[in-house]
Amino acid sequence: MTYPLASRLDSVKPSPSMGAKLRVDQLRAAGRTIIDFTIGEPDFPTPSHIVEAGVSALTSGQTRYTASAGIPALRRAIAEKLERENGLTYGPEQLVVGCGAKNIIYSALAATVGDGDDVIVPAPYWVSYPDMVALHGGTPVIVQCDESAGFKLSADALDQAITPRTRWLILNSPNNPTGAIYSPEELKALADVLLRHPHVWLMTDEIYEHFSYGDVRHVSIAAVEPKLKDRLLIVNGVSKAYAMTGWRIGYGAGPVPLIKAITLLLTQSVSCATTVSQVAAVTALQGPQDCVAEAKALFQARRDRMVELLDKIPGIRCPRPDGAFYAFVSVAGLIGARTTSGKTLADDLDVIMFFLDEAGVAAIDGSSYGAPGYVRMSFATSIEQIEAGCSALAQAISSLVTAPTTLKETNHA
């Protein structure tokens, strides 16, 4: 007997990140040693003072339903964080807590996007944006942002993409998968375009905000252009900064009508975020922040080592990311090469399977992020794993049946 499924599912693809994790788990279960560069989360535990707050919440009986928008203490902590770190003022009625940042993004699109609506998504993009737009009947309008432009959306490209049907622009900075971070000047240029198109709303995904390296700093567009605040939804959470991915706490800050609409959907979907996780998130936001600074320093050291090693491998070019914890690596120099078994690497999908089969290294294809010819590699893993993985890749690539000069010419381009 077959069971009919809703036609809306036809537009949805499985998450490549979750698929990669499953593939790694299966290979490890079969006895393979796999170095995993697919990881989209910190590889260290949640800081102990946050865990202790969660345990205390359990033992004190804080295990019941909460208000769908989140407990008052957490919304106050979020408001304090936004003022302290971003220079932004939001009241509790302008804040909503969800089961992770993804839950907030999904609910916001569900509340606002319908048939015939366009949502501008700069590419490379986080894999879920286009699918979530399509799931709600909208059309993701993909705007390619090349490496030559720093993988960032220009004001001219945005202006050309906007039509009367445009409902949202989704902006992710620091970016997954590229690590690109928009400067205040770049944000102001984008804001000026949006001010000329008052029907377009802006969603900023700032989940990686604490991970910026060198002299580059994350700035919220609301601080650059306050006039956008009445049609801006800021999405953030505690998952990345505090190694709390499994606690599932994200939040949105925006105009009251939109926050009410998101909250309404939460009442009929998840009811509320987990109480224990909300209590722990209060401690994360209000407690000592040394753990965030330590994580940032650790990721910067890992970034530097991964970029250094990858850029030495013929056929690979690794732009240095300014933020997040991913390297977005060009593998254009490997496409067209043949393996010793006679298989031609026709695209980045073939390349990641070659990495997995021949080097025991797992990565995610750039095509899943709207950027063929690239591969995403996470440096949210130890220096030892980074060194071992890059060594394995270099050895595997050296076995390709390709003229060395062909590969070498693409290096450091």
Side-chain angles (χ1 to χ4, degrees), residues 40 57 70 93 98 102 114 191 203 229 268-269 286 327 337 366 373 409 411:
E93 74 283 357
K102 181 183 283 190
M203 184 187 304
K229 192 176 176 183
Q268 296 292 9
S269 55
Q286 293 185 332
E409 286 170 0
N411 208 35

Side-chain angles (χ1 to χ4, degrees), residues 101-181:
K102 181 183 283 190
N103 185 211
I104 298 297
I105 296 169
Y106 185 95
S107 298
L109 294 174
T112 58
V113 173
D115 294 343
D117 290 333
D118 289 346
V119 176
I120 297 173
V121 180
Y125 47 71
W126 179 49
V127 293
S128 292
Y129 297 143
D131 285 338
M132 286 195 283
V133 170
L135 188 59
H136 298 302
T139 300
V141 177
I142 308 301
V143 180
Q144 293 295 330
C145 305
D146 295 336
E147 184 184 339
S148 60
F151 296 119
K152 289 184 277 190
L153 179 69
S154 70
D156 287 342
L158 172 61
D159 203 23
Q160 292 174 22
I162 292 174
T163 74
R165 298 186 305 275
T166 305
R167 178 59 62 94
W168 285 96
L169 163 65
I170 300 179
L171 204 63
N172 176 209
S173 177
N175 179 263
N176 175 8
T178 68
I181 298 177

Side-chain angles (χ1 to χ4, degrees), residues 283-351:
T283 294
L285 294 174
Q286 293 185 332
Q289 300 298 301
D290 296 357
C291 56
V292 179
E294 291 167 1
K296 174 179 174 177
L298 184 63
F299 286 136
Q300 180 164 340
R302 293 171 172 183
R303 175 204 67 166
D304 292 346
R305 187 61 172 149
M306 177 173 271
V307 171
E308 175 191 4
L309 293 174
L310 287 175
D311 241 4
K312 291 178 179 178
I313 302 174
I316 284 180
R317 183 167 42 78
C318 186
R320 184 179 299 273
D322 286 328
F325 41 66
Y326 310 106
F328 203 53
V329 183
S330 171
V331 293
L334 302 180
I335 294 173
R338 284 185 297 112
T339 69
T340 54
S341 65
K343 178 176 174 55
T344 298
L345 303 182
D347 53 29
D348 50 294
L349 292 164
D350 285 343
V351 170

